Amino acid sequence: MTPDQLRAFCLDFNDATEEFPFGPETSVFKVAGKLFALSALDGEPLRVNLKCDPDEAVRLREEHPAVAPGYHMNKRHWNTVTVGELPDRMVRELVEDSYDLVVAGLPKAVRLRLDRP
């Protein structure tokens, strides 16, 4: 997955936006104002921070060397994923899971508007 593909995938979700609160080099992808992915898209290697269920986060870290505790994030709830070291399908699933976890924490009216009950 290329940086452009990762960016396009993150922005393809309902109400997803890209912001740059930490400077022009770090893309922060949000839904309804809440962070679901963070990446320096020009970084080598390409990495992305994604929200994850705590139990799933531990399992993923044990099974995949490309998944580490979230860099500069709450290590219980966030993983840093080295994109090129995992299959694209898995990266897409992890991004979608992150988006869904964030949406699940939003008020019901917002979830329904996003078509994610």
Side-chain angles (χ1 to χ4, degrees):
M1 178 177 284
T2 68
D4 288 339
Q5 290 171 326
L6 177 61
R7 180 178 184 273
F9 187 72
C10 287
L11 290 173
D12 199 36
F13 292 102
N14 289 342
D15 203 34
T17 61
E18 181 180 24
E19 299 177 12
F20 300 91
F22 306 117
E25 66 282 345
T26 305
S27 293
V28 176
F29 299 97
K30 294 182 175 183
V31 56
K34 302 291 184 181
L35 170 72
F36 73 91
L38 179 140
S39 180
L41 293 174
D42 60 352
E44 283 291 328
L46 179 59
R47 292 186 177 100
V48 60
N49 283 3
L50 299 169
K51 191 162 189 165
C52 192
D53 171 79
D55 294 330
E56 180 72 4
V58 170
R59 185 189 66 75
L60 287 167
R61 293 172 197 163
E62 290 172 351
E63 293 179 6
H64 303 281
V67 180
Y71 182 70
H72 286 299
M73 306 294 277
N74 179 326
K75 311 251 184 281
R76 184 165 187 264
H77 295 278
W78 289 85
N79 282 332
T80 297
V81 176
T82 303
V83 174
E85 296 179 17
L86 293 174
D88 288 357
R89 179 184 55 76
M90 184 176 181
V91 173
R92 285 190 296 272
E93 288 172 1
L94 293 172
V95 172
E96 185 172 6
D97 288 349
S98 180
Y99 176 88
D100 286 343
L101 278 170
V102 172
V103 169
L106 297 172
K108 184 176 182 180
V110 176
R111 289 194 316 267
L112 292 174
R113 180 178 55 81
L114 296 172
D115 194 29
R116 295 270 220 226

